[in-house]
Amino acid sequence: MKSVIPKEVESLWTLFTAPTVWALHFVGCYAAVAIYCAKAASFDFGFDTVRLALGGLTVLALVVIVLSAYLAWRQWGFGSGDPPHDEPTRKDRTLFQGFATLLLAGLSFVAVVYVAIPLIFIAECQR
Amino acid sequence: MRGKGPTEASRPMGSGLRSLKLCPFILLPGLSLSSCSGSHSALDPAGPEASYVAHLFFVMLFGGIVIWIAVVAALIYAARKKRVHSEESAGRIILWCGAILPTLVLGALLSYGLWMMPAIRPWVPDEQQVRRIEVTGEQFWWRVRYLDEAGEVMFETANEVRIPVGEPAHFSLRAADVIHSFWVPSLGGKMDMIPGRTNPLTLTADRQGTYRGVCAEFCGQSHALMAFTVRAVQPEAHETWLAERRASKPLDAEGLAVFLNNGCGACHAISGTAANGRIGPDLTAFGERGTLAAGALPHTTEDIARFVADPGDIKPGVKMPHFGMLPEDDINKIAAFLKELK
């Protein structure tokens, strides 16, 4: 069976994946709520629908971040070597990038959860 | 003498010194706590919104103390320990205490704050607000307008707000020139006043009293001299006061002619007289106010005269020109007239 996960990822772009997902989730949440609340009268669905949709977006964002973290963990050799990986070799560069990507993925995971917490508490638009 | 205990003569002195050394530990918390009460303290709440703010503060304070004690204990342990720990266990401590625990604590605080938000900032739709008070921040005073059910202005006053005890007061906060911030610590959190916007704020006073409010956003030279007073009175007394203020009665007093002849009415309004200026604070019932020049001076005839003669000396940057060129007798007559204005 062919795996959907690439066998090897060695690009600087993977470093930015998780923070980019967080940024898109952040903008998506804020823009969706702001636009809905400004134009609620012209929509025929309630604010709970917006909350549920953004909840779905949150789950999707977290899944992508977890996937990015898994790839980074794999690139880091599943923690087989200890940081700081500062030797001027190809291997250390790859391990360093994997470790840094893993840390950024962890940070982005927490940031996405924090951005989503208000969705639980904010139940209506204030006009 | 070395190695011997205190002599009979030295004992009282020694115990006296010990008491003196202990004094700061006894006096300081006492003094600190005594400054927590009063008309201008978020730690002495006089309404539900302020109670939630105080509660939030004490929860944060308790949490902060627990964390501080834990950090200091860890520091003492690290300084005194004999056993060498492995790098791996040190790494585990950093991971749990430096990343996982702070993330959980911050997540819990964020959830707690969001859960508390509706109580700290009660929101009432416009159509359900029984009576609104529009407050506009101006350099360096507060324009206060009482609105009726239709949102029309009933009357205007300045630097003093009256609200009924036990009933929510709905404020519409605006700014005329720069950003100000409306804050009555005893009644609730602050709310910014931004030019071009109207920000709503609902405050409720649980008990009768006079509370001090301030501008909480730097707005210019006399920002620190921009205070106001909130008087929470019984609802019946409030209704009577509103009815009295709505009924404009003609006014005639000795100092009124001097006030009008010197052009004061071009900037200030006094209900029932020809003075109808809108640039400066409305002076109707000025004599009932507790302070002068937005809390800058006590409300005495001498201080009113001082302010009329040279307002810029008391409140730098104020727009009112100085009237020190007027005969002293005129200034005194204006001050006496304003002091007695009911």
Side-chain angles (χ1 to χ4, degrees), chain A residues 9-25:
Chain A
V9 182
E10 199 192 333
S11 158
L12 203 58
W13 293 108
T14 57
L15 196 68
F16 304 120
T17 306
T20 305
V21 169
W22 161 72
L24 292 174
H25 175 262

Side-chain angles (χ1 to χ4, degrees), chain B residues 33-49:
Chain B
L33 285 175
S34 69
S35 64
C36 294
S37 59
S39 65
H40 184 186
S41 173
L43 302 179
D44 185 18
E49 293 84 12

Side-chain angles (χ1 to χ4, degrees), chain B residues 134 144-148 150-156 246:
Chain B
E134 183 188 280
V144 183
R145 286 174 167 153
Y146 287 79
L147 310 180
D148 62 14
E152 298 296 319
V153 177
M154 293 194 290
F155 60 87
E156 185 175 313
R246 289 181 82 166

Side-chain angles (χ1 to χ4, degrees), chain B residues 46-48 163-169 187 203-208 232-235:
Chain B
I163 59 173
V165 170
E167 293 176 15
L187 296 181
L203 297 176
T204 310
D206 272 346
R207 57 173 200 259
Q208 204 167 321
V233 296
Q234 290 302 327

Side-chain angles (χ1 to χ4, degrees), chain B residues 139-140 218-226 293 296 307 310-320:
Chain B
Q139 284 176 319
F140 302 95
F218 181 73
C219 59
Q221 280 173 294
S222 284
H223 160 69
L225 298 172
M226 186 174 164
F307 190 80
D310 196 355
D313 186 45
I314 292 152
K315 287 185 84 164
V318 75
K319 283 180 186 157
M320 178 171 160

Side-chain angles (χ1 to χ4, degrees), chain B residues 24-35:
Chain B
F25 297 101
I26 298 162
L27 281 178
L28 277 178
L31 286 172
S32 311
L33 285 175
S34 69
S35 64

Side-chain angles (χ1 to χ4, degrees), chain B residues 109-340:
Chain B
L109 278 177
L110 175 64
S111 305
Y112 178 60
L114 285 166
W115 170 76
M116 205 178 246
M117 203 183 261
I120 290 181
R121 283 266 182 271
W123 175 70
V124 182
D126 281 359
E127 60 274 12
Q128 288 175 27
Q129 294 182 7
V130 178
R131 196 172 281 126
R132 270 181 297 162
I133 305 169
E134 183 188 280
V135 182
T136 307
E138 310 211 8
Q139 284 176 319
F140 302 95
W141 59 283
W142 310 83
R143 189 187 294 276
V144 183
R145 286 174 167 153
Y146 287 79
L147 310 180
D148 62 14
E149 286 77 359
E152 298 296 319
V153 177
M154 293 194 290
F155 60 87
E156 185 175 313
T157 177
N159 301 331
E160 194 167 285
V161 182
R162 286 197 191 212
I163 59 173
V165 170
E167 293 176 15
H170 307 290
F171 292 95
S172 297
L173 304 175
R174 305 170 67 184
D177 33 42
V178 298
I179 298 176
H180 302 274
S181 190
F182 182 91
W183 188 29
V184 191
S186 300
L187 296 181
K190 61 185 83 166
M191 176 66 87
D192 277 0
M193 309 166 106
I194 298 165
R197 282 186 62 92
T198 301
N199 285 343
L201 178 71
T202 299
L203 297 176
T204 310
D206 272 346
R207 57 173 200 259
Q208 204 167 321
T210 303
Y211 307 103
R212 188 168 179 268
V214 291
C215 177
E217 180 72 43
F218 181 73
C219 59
Q221 280 173 294
S222 284
H223 160 69
L225 298 172
M226 186 174 164
F228 63 101
T229 309
V230 177
R231 284 192 192 187
V233 296
Q234 290 302 327
E236 303 78 35
H238 185 66
E239 286 302 321
T240 309
W241 178 77
L242 284 176
E244 277 175 9
R245 287 302 310 270
R246 289 181 82 166
S248 173
K249 52 181 186 274
L251 183 77
D252 190 23
E254 193 194 343
L256 177 62
V258 186
F259 181 88
L260 293 173
N261 291 343
N262 285 298
C264 305
C267 292
H268 297 283
I270 298 174
S271 175
T273 72
N276 57 4
R278 291 275 167 239
I279 297 169
D282 189 297
L283 298 177
T284 308
F286 181 77
E288 291 178 356
R289 293 181 197 165
T291 60
L292 166 66
L297 290 173
H299 201 280
T300 65
T301 311
E302 295 73 28
D303 285 308
I304 297 171
R306 265 180 66 207
F307 190 80
V308 170
D310 196 355
D313 186 45
I314 292 152
K315 287 185 84 164
V318 75
K319 283 180 186 157
M320 178 171 160
H322 70 91
F323 283 85
M325 83 296 272
L326 296 184
E328 200 179 329
D329 190 42
D330 277 8
I331 293 176
N332 289 336
K333 275 183 182 162
I334 291 171
F337 161 66
L338 291 174
K339 176 68 185 162
E340 295 305 318

Side-chain angles (χ1 to χ4, degrees), chain A residues 110 114 117-118 121 125-127, chain B residues 103 106-107 110-111 114-115 123:
Chain A
V110 173
Y114 280 11
I117 286 175
F121 294 96
C125 301
Q126 295 190 355
R127 282 183 294 276
Chain B
T103 303
L106 286 176
L110 175 64
S111 305
L114 285 166
W115 170 76
W123 175 70

